[in-house]
Amino acid sequence: MIRASKKEKCTFHFHNTTVNIFVGLFLSVVFSNHTAKSKKTLAKPGVKNIVLVDGVRTPFLQSGTIYADLMPHDLARAALQGLLNRTGLPKDAVDYIVYGTVIQEVKTSNVAREAALGAGFSDKTPAHTVTMACISSNQAMTTAVGLIAAGQCDAVVAGGVEFMSDVPIRHSRRMRKTMLSLNKAKTLGARLSLLGSIRLAHLAPELPAVAEFSTAETMGHSADRLAAAFGVSRLEQDEFALRSHTLAKKAQDSGLLSDVISFKVPGKDIVSKDNGIRPSTMEQMAKLKPAFIKPHGTVTAANSSFLTDGASAVLIMSEEKALAMGYKPKAYLRDFVYVSQDPKDQLLLGPTYATPKVLEKSGLTLNDIDVFEFHEAFAGQIMANLKAMESDWFAQTYMGRKTKVGAPPMEKFNSWGGSLSLGHPFAATGCRLVTTVAHRLQKEGGQYGLVAACAAGGQGHAMVIEAYPQ
Amino acid sequence: IKGDVAVVRMNDPNSRVNTLSTQMQREMTEVMDEIWGNNAVQSVVLISSKPGSFIAGADLNMIQACTTAEEVTGLSQEGQRMFEKVEKSPKPIVAAINGSCLGGGLELGLPSAFDMILTGRSIRADKAKKMGLVHQLVDTLGPGLKSPEERTIEYLEEVAVEAARGLAKKQIPLTKEKGLMQSNYFLAEIQDYVMSYPFVRQQIYNTVQNKVMKQTKGLYPAPLKIIECVKAGVEQGPTAGYLVESQHFGKLAMTPESKALIGLYHGQVTCKKNRFGTPEKEVKTLAILGAGLMGAGIAQVSVDKGFHTILKDTTLEGLSRGEQQVYKGLNDKTKKKSITSFERDSFLSNLTGQLDYNGFNKADMIIEAVFEDLSIKHKVLKEVEAMIPPHCIFATNTSALPIKDIAAVSKRPEKVIGMHYFSPVDKMQLLEIITTDKTSKDTTASAVAVGLKQGKVIIVVGDGPGFYTTRCLAPMLAEAVRVLQEGVDPKKLDGLTTGFGFPVGAATLADEVGIDVAAHVAEDLGKAFGSRFGGGNVEVLKTMVEKGFKGRKSGKGCYIYQPGLKRRDVNTEALEILESYKLTSSDSDVQYRLVSRFVNEAVLCLQEGILANPVEGDIGAVFGLGFPPCLGGPFRFVDSFGADKLVEKMRKFEEVFGNQFTPCQLLLDHAKDPSKKFHK
């Protein structure tokens, strides 16, 4: 404690060398309300403070439901407009827009630009699209942080959209080749001979799959193997899934999910609630057959995240700019890391790798974190990550660390539900996680929050978020 | 025992793999008895505690230890009793198979009520499931809270125990999925109906027998005996079938073919070890000079083993052809699904194709595969030595040029070594490593280590013209040319050689090796060894080369090769050349003329110390030159055929043809003293 307080002196804002005793007293008062932190704040001298002004999202809906007839940029537009409404931001005050997406609609490959124009942002505001599987909007946000930190922008909108109700289904390669040659064929004879070369088999379409390109393994299959590798039982998975749905329902009912905006869907009613939250019973869940590894697998439809349509958006600014514009920021966006590992056997272990790394970077320990928001791809994946984080052997053998980082305490973990229950529109989830951390810190009164997520390709991400003093 | 499921874990403490030994059979029978006696046990799981191996098959040493057919028959009957016990088990048995499950291991797995397989080797696990051999597949696991291997076995056991429990409670239906052939019920009906006529069955036996004869030329007795066993089983009932099986098995174990093949197995195991120890510095970067067939082939077997490989050629066309060869080799594997397209790409990322010496300063080993011409090899060696770091090894891939001649211009002859690969490199298992007096032991160790990593079976031989393999092959091919000159048709010659057990006929072999290479080698070795290497006229080969008949690679040799066509016609123009060099036929015993010269030269290599031991001689001849595997190699052939009888034959040939058939001293020694054997 003495060593800790000495350290505080250096970074403490009101520090006074002559009145050490006062500092000590003050500290003890602050800390009596809260557990002792390794650091009072993560602000660094000479580094710009970057803040989350606000964040919103459309309701996350199961794909093929109310959003079914939209296009991806329509959803993105809804999120962007919602952000403008929520913040009252003048449209021309935005310097740049970065948006994430995973399964691309080929007509709107730069969906950021199409959505921004449609949402009424100034046509003078450039926009680009990023993709990094399930951490695409995390990438959008950290790109924004980079632009601001480098002094190139002051106000950036970041977000992500995923639209699984319609995905690009292609003709087979052979058919595509024939069709492209047809365009170039000059004579009728050449065209006819090309048409004649088409066989029934060429008409079979190519469907996109949630599978790794490098290993051809579907993500659910990998999750099932991961769960087995860490000895996660079916029961544990079902219990965790039930917990996610139960907490989400509670959060929805008590109005905690304030990031959700209402959206008038063209031709349909106004939507203002996520529709995938369905707390079931353990008995009902136990009845389901495994979805990927049959017959002995443990990953089922009930303990996996479902295909979801949705979009999210956040407004990120330098602290000075936000204050100058009269905003009351919600949180500081602090250190972040990206990690990557073996896409076959460690596809979904991103949080395990990213968490200790980002904590180290921040100089914090797991105990300093008040709020955890982890992306729940599969219940089995979350449980495997928790077990990996709790294992010294894993840390030493695979991560080259001396000791485990430790598993987050469950009472601080995804306490307003998660991707399993709220839904997981791939590229929109990252912003939901960050906004939820900010809201939970405000509501629950903590100081530091941690976001972590896994992504296809064996990648992962984590970010430390600090509550904005209220 | 886990609740009502008994888990039997097999683990042979003295071996890397589990084999069906007498001890294991005895223990298994005891355990089975115990299980049936125990009322608490409802079902059984059989599992191996060894990662990657269930049961590798029967214990070869056990069979080798037997001296009579009766003994082996006894062993076989014991084994049958054990299998019967498993098969007739009143309680369901699940065989949880992780890795290789061969021979008797498979037999043990098969009758079990419910089988599972993990990663297959020879048959991939998913194929085994399709064939109906196994019922359920369990995936291998990645890192978890324990090592992946350990946890995978544990997981397999957990799943197997659940399955066994389900079977015992009849929750899992015991529908043995039949193989593809019987998957269609209607078809199966017809099949059963037709099979009920003895006449039809006889036809089937005949057809199968003919097929076997065509493939084995009657040189391998086992497949025929297997047909007999099946016949006995079907016609006279299982008891008679089992009896015939065990008797035949006993007899087969005592045949020279069995001894030859077991000898080859042990020899191959020996040649998969590095008797020169661990090299001081591991080779990571490999630079290959020359992107021809050989160079690209060597590159192909290197990139997929993780070597960073530089492939250098002098022309863009040559380099492009070579890189395409590597790509095609790997892509064919992708098409066969033995590797994924992603693995192919990541292997290819280890390959750097270039025309300059960029990066050679970081190379650990150079393998030179340029044209077989001493002056070119000298030029390349000098050029490269100026570029490479001091520790870098210079290996030369040549089939005939003496290494010491190549090393003569080297500033560091202790780092020069010969690595003779066989074409096609990705298919041929053998690598012949040639050391000179000056080659250091560490250089040799390093070359062997690289070869082993490339998946090769390795023999290390002394330096001399033609080393070992080429030197044995040259006199045989010279004799083959003489035979052709005598008017024997290439197809007839091929028939005679394959009839003796060679996988490829002599005429085809000449085409595969390349007539130009053969001419080159014949001339070089002729100069070095004199008239002993005579026989056919070298001019025949030279004239063929002049006409562009260089063998398969030029489309014409002894045969005409057309892309896409399997059928090959004899090249009539080549026959015309042969006609102009016609000799009168003098001895019709073509097979032994060919083989005795081969064998004599092999024995001479041992006598002269080119070969370190007969084992490597046998392995080199079988894996590099296709010496009949059923004979086990030239040295085992001398042992089983009898040196005296061979010498007798050679003396007879000697009278007709001269000194090409003079037996060497070591062979004469063996002929004089029948107790002398190359293999004990």
Side-chain angles (χ1 to χ4, degrees), chain A residues 214 225 228 296 346 393 398, chain B residues 136-137 140 143 146 148 151 342:
Chain A
S214 61
R225 288 198 302 116
H296 55 271
Q346 305 197 15
W393 186 84
Y398 292 100
Chain B
Q136 191 174 332
L137 298 182
T140 39
K146 289 173 185 164
R151 176 63 195 145
F342 181 77

Side-chain angles (χ1 to χ4, degrees), chain A residues 62-86:
Chain A
Q62 291 175 300
S63 67
T65 59
I66 305 169
Y67 295 149
D69 297 327
L70 299 178
M71 278 182 71
H73 72 282
D74 293 326
L75 271 181
R77 215 153 40 91
L80 289 171
Q81 269 175 328
L83 185 69
L84 289 178
N85 293 343
R86 179 74 56 95

Side-chain angles (χ1 to χ4, degrees), chain A residues 174-211:
Chain A
R174 285 290 300 271
M175 190 65 191
R176 272 151 39 210
K177 201 174 169 187
T178 310
M179 290 161 90
L180 289 171
S181 308
L182 210 55
N183 280 339
K184 289 182 195 146
K186 294 207 166 59
T187 66
L188 183 65
R191 274 181 212 131
L192 284 177
S193 88
L194 275 170
L195 286 172
S197 73
I198 298 172
R199 300 279 168 274
L200 202 61
H202 301 176
L203 296 172
E206 268 179 27
L207 298 165
V210 187

Side-chain angles (χ1 to χ4, degrees), chain B residues 531-597:
Chain B
S531 56
R532 193 173 81 240
F533 273 59
N537 194 335
V538 181
E539 293 304 317
V540 173
L541 297 174
K542 282 190 172 171
T543 316
M544 283 178 74
V545 174
E546 273 166 29
K547 292 236 175 185
F549 305 154
K550 292 182 183 172
R552 178 187 278 280
K553 60 190 165 193
S554 67
K556 276 181 184 177
C558 296
Y559 295 98
I560 296 173
Y561 299 89
Q562 282 161 303
L565 272 187
K566 275 227 159 156
R567 194 176 59 95
R568 299 170 311 175
D569 292 321
V570 172
N571 184 2
T572 46
E573 292 171 276
L575 288 185
E576 282 165 26
I577 299 172
L578 287 167
E579 188 64 32
S580 64
Y581 288 98
K582 180 142 178 114
L583 295 172
T584 42
S585 171
S586 32
D587 196 299
S588 58
D589 200 352
V590 172
Q591 289 178 330
Y592 281 96
R593 273 167 64 190
L594 293 169
V595 172
S596 63
R597 289 189 67 179

Side-chain angles (χ1 to χ4, degrees), chain B residues 381-671:
Chain B
L381 173 56
K382 279 191 266 185
E383 239 175 68
V384 169
E385 273 194 349
M387 306 286 174
I388 55 180
H391 75 274
C392 181
I393 290 163
F394 186 91
T396 171
N397 174 66
T398 168
S399 52
L401 296 174
I403 308 303
K404 64 173 184 305
D405 294 356
I406 296 173
V409 298
S410 170
K411 280 182 270 176
R412 36 206 274 298
E414 73 282 0
K415 295 280 183 196
V416 180
I417 194 165
M419 287 174 90
H420 178 199
Y421 289 88
F422 293 76
S423 183
V425 181
D426 58 321
K427 301 266 158 51
M428 294 294 285
Q429 275 184 284
L430 191 72
L431 168 63
E432 183 180 32
I433 290 179
I434 306 105
T435 58
T436 70
D437 303 341
K438 290 181 180 153
T439 308
S440 74
K441 189 170 163 257
D442 186 60
T443 301
T444 314
S446 200
V448 174
V450 167
L452 287 177
K453 201 166 164 192
Q454 288 169 333
K456 297 294 169 195
V457 172
I458 295 171
I459 60 169
V460 180
V461 303
D463 192 20
F467 328 122
Y468 169 63
T469 50
T470 312
R471 197 172 145 182
C472 290
L473 188 62
M476 187 172 102
L477 283 184
E479 198 59 28
V481 172
R482 170 150 62 193
V483 170
L484 289 171
Q485 278 177 268
E486 284 169 6
V488 175
D489 181 87
K491 277 201 167 151
K492 173 91 190 298
L493 175 62
D494 275 355
L496 285 169
T497 19
T498 52
F500 198 75
F502 281 91
V504 178
T508 309
L509 185 62
D511 275 0
E512 292 290 337
V513 170
I515 304 292
D516 52 337
V517 177
H520 213 78
V521 170
E523 211 173 12
D524 281 356
L525 294 189
K527 274 182 208 152
F529 293 111
S531 56
R532 193 173 81 240
F533 273 59
N537 194 335
V538 181
E539 293 304 317
V540 173
L541 297 174
K542 282 190 172 171
T543 316
M544 283 178 74
V545 174
E546 273 166 29
K547 292 236 175 185
F549 305 154
K550 292 182 183 172
R552 178 187 278 280
K553 60 190 165 193
S554 67
K556 276 181 184 177
C558 296
Y559 295 98
I560 296 173
Y561 299 89
Q562 282 161 303
L565 272 187
K566 275 227 159 156
R567 194 176 59 95
R568 299 170 311 175
D569 292 321
V570 172
N571 184 2
T572 46
E573 292 171 276
L575 288 185
E576 282 165 26
I577 299 172
L578 287 167
E579 188 64 32
S580 64
Y581 288 98
K582 180 142 178 114
L583 295 172
T584 42
S585 171
S586 32
D587 196 299
S588 58
D589 200 352
V590 172
Q591 289 178 330
Y592 281 96
R593 273 167 64 190
L594 293 169
V595 172
S596 63
R597 289 189 67 179
F598 186 119
V599 172
N600 186 49
E601 204 60 36
V603 177
L604 191 55
C605 282
L606 182 64
Q607 181 184 319
E608 288 178 0
I610 295 282
L611 278 178
N613 54 56
V615 173
E616 288 186 85
D618 280 347
I619 293 294
V622 172
F623 287 99
L625 306 171
F627 192 88
C630 57
L631 301 177
F635 293 95
R636 194 168 292 275
F637 170 69
V638 173
D639 282 354
S640 60
F641 186 76
D644 46 344
K645 273 164 75 190
L646 186 63
V647 166
E648 196 184 311
K649 271 196 185 288
M650 289 185 73
R651 291 291 186 203
K652 213 179 83 203
F653 297 141
E654 193 181 9
E655 274 173 37
V656 183
F657 300 105
N659 73 339
Q660 293 121 41
F661 287 97
T662 311
C664 69
Q665 191 53 46
L666 187 58
L667 194 57
L668 288 173
D669 291 349
H670 276 244

Side-chain angles (χ1 to χ4, degrees), chain A residues 27-81:
Chain A
L27 280 175
S28 67
V29 169
V30 171
F31 287 159
S32 63
N33 292 334
H34 246 279
T35 45
K37 300 288 183 200
S38 302
K39 278 187 170 179
K40 182 72 184 105
T41 171
L42 291 178
K44 290 178 202 157
V47 174
K48 254 188 207 174
N49 280 327
I50 294 165
V51 295
L52 173 79
V53 176
D54 212 336
V56 299
R57 64 182 176 93
T58 68
F60 286 176
L61 303 187
Q62 291 175 300
S63 67
T65 59
I66 305 169
Y67 295 149
D69 297 327
L70 299 178
M71 278 182 71
H73 72 282
D74 293 326
L75 271 181
R77 215 153 40 91
L80 289 171
Q81 269 175 328

Side-chain angles (χ1 to χ4, degrees), chain A residues 213-215 221 224-226 228-231 293 295-296 344-346 387-388 391 393-394 398, chain B residues 116 136-148 151 155 158-159 340-343 345:
Chain A
F213 180 74
S214 61
T215 61
H221 196 278
D224 205 323
R225 288 198 302 116
L226 184 74
F230 282 91
I293 296 183
H296 55 271
K344 182 161 196 290
D345 289 333
Q346 305 197 15
K387 292 195 184 205
S391 162
W393 186 84
F394 189 85
Y398 292 100
Chain B
M116 254 177 256
Q136 191 174 332
L137 298 182
V138 176
D139 293 284
T140 39
L141 298 181
L145 298 177
K146 289 173 185 164
S147 82
R151 176 63 195 145
Y155 176 52
E158 287 166 16
V159 175
T340 65
S341 62
F342 181 77
E343 282 168 317
D345 296 346

Side-chain angles (χ1 to χ4, degrees), chain B residues 203-272:
Chain B
Q203 282 301 319
I204 292 176
Y205 298 140
N206 287 346
T207 316
V208 175
Q209 184 150 354
N210 288 339
K211 246 193 176 153
V212 167
M213 284 304 284
K214 210 170 165 187
Q215 275 183 17
T216 65
K217 317 265 181 204
L219 293 167
Y220 296 83
L224 295 177
K225 297 287 183 201
I226 292 172
I227 301 174
E228 278 179 42
C229 297
V230 175
K231 205 163 151 184
V234 174
E235 305 292 328
Q236 297 158 38
T239 323
Y242 283 138
L243 186 68
V244 174
E245 185 191 52
S246 62
Q247 283 166 351
H248 280 328
F249 188 66
K251 281 185 212 149
L252 283 172
M254 290 298 125
T255 56
E257 287 83 1
S258 157
K259 298 218 156 69
L261 294 174
I262 292 177
L264 277 181
Y265 170 76
H266 286 305
Q268 192 186 356
V269 170
T270 315
C271 292
K272 284 264 182 196

